[in-house]
Amino acid sequence: DKNGLTKQEICDQISDALRIGRLRHAAGVTEPTAFWHEVAHAMGVSASGSKTAIARRIAESQGEHWPEEGDSTDRASGGGDTVTAAGLLADRRAVRRFQS
């Protein structure tokens, strides 16, 4: 459950919390790789690898569980390197832990 938030809104909350610039992405387009690089850098996490690998590393760096549905890897849709809303929410929780 995304709590009624769009992926863009969750990204904006993460960006605002870390005081990094908001990155816009068009509807239906996944978050830009630059977003994940900026979040990782702000949290002192390695930004190497795919977007999903970075997103997972961000969550796990703060002891957050990465949900099975956190990314589209190994999905029937063949979504590729896409972080889902569940993955974004895990990263938002990680950012909150990072700040506390």
Side-chain angles (χ1 to χ4, degrees), residues 7-41:
K7 288 176 69 177
Q8 179 69 61
E9 288 167 332
I10 301 167
C11 288
D12 289 348
Q13 290 176 349
I14 291 170
S15 296
D16 293 350
L18 293 172
R19 293 181 167 78
I20 59 177
R22 288 183 176 190
L23 291 172
R24 292 271 157 229
H25 54 281
V29 177
T30 63
E31 301 70 41
T33 303
F35 170 77
W36 298 110
H37 286 185
E38 287 194 40
V39 173
H41 178 74

Side-chain angles (χ1 to χ4, degrees), residues 76-88:
S77 68
D81 193 26
T82 302
V83 178
T84 65
L88 282 167

Side-chain angles (χ1 to χ4, degrees), residues 39-57:
V39 173
H41 178 74
M43 294 177 66
V45 174
S46 169
S48 66
S50 67
K51 291 187 285 188
T52 53
I54 298 166
R56 182 181 190 129
R57 194 176 305 120

